[in-house]
Amino acid sequence: MAPPPKTGGRTISQEAFDEVVKENIDDLGMDPTEALQDAIETLTLQGVDLSGIVTCVPGEGGVQDNPVIQCLDRLKQLNSGENSQVGDEEIVKLLDELTELCNSEGSGNSAIASRNGAVELICSICSKVSTRCQGALVSALKTMASLLHDLQSREAFRASGGPKLVVGILTDGFENIEILSSGFAVIAAAATGNEVTKESFMELKTDELILRALSIKSEGSIDSLYDAIRILLTPDDTRVLASQVYGYVRKFAKIGIPGALVDSIRAGLSSPSLVSASIALKAVAANDEICTTISEHGGIDAVLICIDDSSEQGNKTVAQACCSLLSRLAGNDTNKNAIVEKGMDRLMKLSGRFSDDPSVLQEIMSLISVLALRSPENAARAIEAGAGELAIQAMQNFPAAQLLQRNCCLMIRNLVVRNSENRTIMLNSGVEKCIRKAKQTHAICKEAATDALRDLGLDDYYV
């Protein structure tokens, strides 16, 4: 296993923080509120990380009056009792209360809890809860997921044997959809931005657990399962030079996860996990061979049906996710041709349905750009379907939409770069004015617009 990653950042203990506030009052004569505010501002300016510190005015309730600390103290008492196993009603109630506190947006409670040993405590509770007390296990897993918010908490989870604990709970509790949902949520949270934890889960054969979970037919939604796939296959740890996730992708493909994800997408808009499954499949489709496998399993047809349905029902979230997935699958030239043959007219229909939504149009532009790349035939087909006119209309209708403008420039460039007939058509349509305006207005469009002007044959494209 790779060595544990280093953590950084200046920290301070609760006791040291309280002492700074006390010194402001006793030595500088500040009133309690002023003393607290000064301590916060001074330490923040010094680069001290105050996350997890209970900040309160002396005399108006100390650290022990904080509801998070109170909850943790009681859980510690129950966990250290004589019984070898825990799982009574009070523990479940306390776990649920702690989860609610930690999930309170902007409260900082998750940091307070993890700073005060919550991650290690919940790992200990999980190791003692009987597998028959599935309600307590679900509550504990939900609490754990709410605690894993930063590098320090995730490292504490790994150091406490968290990966092995969670995989064991999932393996023993596969009959319970709530355990699956909360367990995979922990995997997703713990593996985020942590290469070593990803490796730990893969060594525990989490890929096989994922495949098994994908085969379960249930009315319940397990979005966290797809989140876990995406996170495990995302190279998001900036502290490592070379991620191992591309090797994990090959393992996922070898055991059949791409086909299982295609089956998930076949459920269409009736599945509440369609968007999550589409994003997960995009993460798996990391090379040419896997993209071919997905196509052979009917993946392109399944996604195009979802695009049709999203157009009919006006579901822009599904439309965006499916277009983004097709863009990844179109990296394979065979898939590219199949998408053009089966889906170009459907994409034009989709663009008409969402003509007032730049967020959808920019995904369509990106997809057509990929389809036309290195393929004069596909570029000609796109022009015939109306892609050129679509780009001009989008650029005129949404001049402030930076990503849309950039994607339009990229698409136009790919439509004309190897097709002189398309070049003439686009110039006669007045596209030059749109491109120059995008170049002048948005910095992110400058390079794409410059390339588009050059490939349109305009000598002054550098202007």
Side-chain angles (χ1 to χ4, degrees):
M1 179 179 289
K6 296 179 180 180
T7 60
R10 296 180 61 192
T11 59
I12 189 172
S13 68
Q14 183 70 53
E15 293 76 12
F17 177 82
D18 292 342
E19 184 61 29
V20 172
V21 178
K22 185 174 185 297
E23 288 177 358
N24 282 347
I25 296 173
D26 296 342
D27 298 345
L28 301 179
M30 294 183 182
D31 64 63
T33 301
E34 182 185 10
L36 175 65
Q37 190 60 36
D38 179 81
I40 293 172
E41 292 177 357
T42 300
L43 292 169
T44 300
L45 287 173
Q46 293 174 357
V48 177
D49 180 9
L50 295 181
S51 61
I53 296 298
V54 179
T55 57
C56 57
V57 176
E60 295 184 6
V63 173
Q64 298 308 315
D65 290 328
N66 182 279
V68 173
I69 302 301
Q70 290 179 338
C71 193
L72 287 176
D73 286 345
R74 182 55 182 154
L75 280 170
K76 290 174 183 176
Q77 291 174 3
L78 294 172
N79 186 53
S80 62
E82 295 182 359
N83 294 332
S84 60
Q85 291 190 333
V86 295
D88 60 21
E89 291 183 4
E90 185 179 3
I91 281 188
V92 172
K93 181 180 178 180
L94 287 166
L95 289 170
D96 292 344
E97 179 183 344
L98 183 57
T99 301
E100 184 176 354
L101 287 168
C102 290
N103 286 336
S104 176
E105 188 174 355
S107 66
N109 286 336
S110 182
I112 292 172
S114 59
R115 175 73 74 94
N116 286 275
V119 174
E120 296 86 346
L121 174 61
I122 303 305
C123 282
S124 176
I125 290 174
C126 285
S127 69
K128 296 179 182 179
V129 172
S130 169
T131 54
R132 292 172 295 183
C133 300
Q134 294 192 339
L137 284 173
V138 170
S139 292
L141 290 171
K142 288 181 178 179
T143 302
M144 183 66 76
S146 71
L147 291 170
L148 302 177
H149 67 285
D150 63 4
L151 176 61
Q152 286 71 32
S153 57
R154 291 165 188 144
E155 280 297 289
F157 172 81
R158 185 184 61 80
S160 300
K164 186 175 181 179
L165 271 171
V166 172
V167 169
I169 292 170
L170 282 170
T171 302
D172 294 337
F174 237 83
E175 303 290 325
N176 190 318
I177 293 299
E178 283 193 288
I179 284 183
L180 290 181
S181 181
S182 53
F184 281 113
V186 173
I187 291 176
T192 298
N194 196 312
E195 185 77 14
V196 179
T197 302
K198 293 182 203 290
E199 183 180 357
S200 296
F201 280 122
M202 291 302 296
E203 289 178 348
L204 292 164
K205 299 183 178 180
T206 302
D207 52 331
E208 296 179 8
L209 277 178
I210 287 171
L211 180 61
R212 184 180 169 193
L214 286 170
S215 67
I216 294 176
K217 305 301 180 184
S218 170
E219 295 180 358
S221 174
I222 314 180
D223 278 350
S224 60
L225 170 62
Y226 304 105
D227 290 340
I229 295 172
R230 174 179 56 82
I231 293 296
L232 287 171
L233 301 184
T234 299
D236 58 357
D237 191 336
T238 58
R239 299 161 301 154
V240 298
L241 295 177
S243 176
Q244 299 184 68
V245 300
Y246 301 106
Y248 304 156
V249 168
R250 290 191 289 273
K251 288 184 178 181
F252 275 52
K254 186 176 181 179
I255 66 174
I257 287 178
L261 286 170
V262 170
D263 290 340
S264 296
I265 288 174
R266 284 198 181 95
L269 269 69
S270 63
S271 169
S273 297
L274 174 59
V275 171
S276 297
S278 298
I279 295 172
L281 185 55
K282 180 180 177 180
V284 174
N287 62 42
D288 195 71
E289 182 180 356
I290 297 174
C291 287
T292 298
T293 299
I294 291 170
S295 177
E296 290 172 348
H297 277 84
I300 291 175
D301 291 332
V303 176
L304 287 173
I305 289 172
C306 291
I307 282 180
D308 290 341
D309 292 343
S310 69
S311 181
E312 291 292 332
Q313 299 186 25
N315 191 320
K316 77 171 186 177
T317 306
V318 170
Q320 288 174 289
C322 288
C323 286
S324 180
L325 172 56
L326 281 181
S327 292
R328 176 63 60 85
L329 297 178
N332 175 288
D333 286 343
T334 301
N335 286 355
K336 186 182 298 184
N337 295 334
I339 295 169
V340 169
E341 181 65 28
K342 299 177 180 180
M344 186 59 72
D345 292 336
R346 293 151 106 163
L347 292 176
M348 292 301 103
K349 180 180 178 181
L350 185 70
S351 68
R353 177 65 176 83
F354 292 101
S355 60
D356 60 346
D357 194 321
S359 66
V360 177
L361 292 177
Q362 73 184 30
E363 292 295 341
I364 297 174
M365 297 299 170
S366 179
L367 172 54
I368 296 176
S369 180
V370 176
L371 294 173
L373 183 65
R374 300 186 305 274
S375 177
E377 296 81 7
N378 288 345
R381 179 70 183 85
I383 286 289
E384 290 173 6
E389 296 174 5
L390 172 64
I392 293 172
Q393 290 173 4
M395 296 181 83
Q396 292 173 341
N397 292 340
F398 303 101
Q402 298 186 51
L403 286 176
L404 173 60
Q405 294 285 323
R406 179 177 179 272
N407 287 354
C408 285
C409 290
L410 290 170
M411 187 192 78
I412 292 165
R413 189 255 176 182
N414 287 351
L415 289 178
V416 305
V417 64
R418 294 187 182 181
N419 195 310
S420 58
E421 185 176 342
N422 283 0
R423 188 180 305 136
T424 301
I425 293 172
M426 293 301 296
L427 285 171
N428 290 340
S429 298
V431 73
E432 179 184 356
K433 182 179 179 180
C434 295
I435 296 174
R436 291 197 184 280
K437 183 175 180 180
K439 181 178 179 179
Q440 294 168 1
T441 306
H442 305 297
I444 69 169
C445 295
K446 186 173 182 178
E447 182 178 354
T450 297
D451 289 344
L453 291 170
R454 178 196 63 208
D455 292 314
L456 281 164
L458 300 171
D459 294 334
D460 60 340
Y461 65 90
Y462 284 115
V463 177

